[in-house]
Amino acid sequence: MKNIHVTFEEGVFCHNWYLHITTKKGTKTFWLGQDSKFCSRVLGMDTSYVVNEIGGRDLREPKIQKALGKFIVNELKLTEEIVDNLQSWELACQ
């Protein structure tokens, strides 16, 4: 897999995350949901731990977007085959 990164939409109290992954079959976008809910419900981690692991919290920075995307892919053990067979909502925390 290549070109893995996370983008976000700013909310009042949270951010909604989107994971973008490019495989040989193309690019897929997965809606992950609210940042803190995704971290706790899906990853089983505190948001502060994730921020520590990826080296920052500013998702406007491309290097942080990429680091978070790779972190999520690694933690969820996503392979190209798995990604190609997932629906866009299947990784969401809601």
Side-chain angles (χ1 to χ4, degrees), residues 53-64:
E53 290 297 303
I54 65 171
R57 68 172 56 244
D58 188 355
L59 278 176
R60 292 177 296 243
E61 292 184 35
K63 71 176 187 174
I64 300 299

Side-chain angles (χ1 to χ4, degrees), residues 30-93:
F30 299 95
W31 176 67
L32 304 179
Q34 292 179 3
D35 49 5
S36 58
K37 287 182 182 177
F38 180 80
C39 289
S40 65
R41 293 180 183 174
V42 178
L43 298 177
M45 302 171 183
D46 288 331
T47 308
S48 58
Y49 176 80
V50 175
V51 166
N52 239 8
E53 290 297 303
I54 65 171
R57 68 172 56 244
D58 188 355
L59 278 176
R60 292 177 296 243
E61 292 184 35
K63 71 176 187 174
I64 300 299
Q65 292 176 355
K66 290 177 183 181
L68 179 56
K70 289 178 183 178
F71 181 83
I72 291 169
V73 166
N74 289 336
E75 287 299 315
L76 298 180
K77 297 176 177 44
L78 298 177
T79 64
E80 193 159 313
E81 182 179 351
I82 290 169
V83 168
D84 287 337
N85 290 303
L86 285 173
Q87 298 298 316
S88 62
W89 47 265
E90 286 188 282
L91 300 177
C93 62

Side-chain angles (χ1 to χ4, degrees), residues 19-33:
L19 175 64
H20 309 272
I21 302 174
T22 301
T23 69
K24 292 175 187 140
K25 291 186 177 183
T27 300
K28 291 185 91 171
T29 299
F30 299 95
W31 176 67
L32 304 179

Side-chain angles (χ1 to χ4, degrees), residues 6-11 15-18 20 58-60 65:
V6 171
T7 58
F8 70 97
E9 288 178 346
E10 262 184 272
H15 294 101
N16 282 304
W17 284 353
Y18 297 86
H20 309 272
D58 188 355
L59 278 176
R60 292 177 296 243
Q65 292 176 355

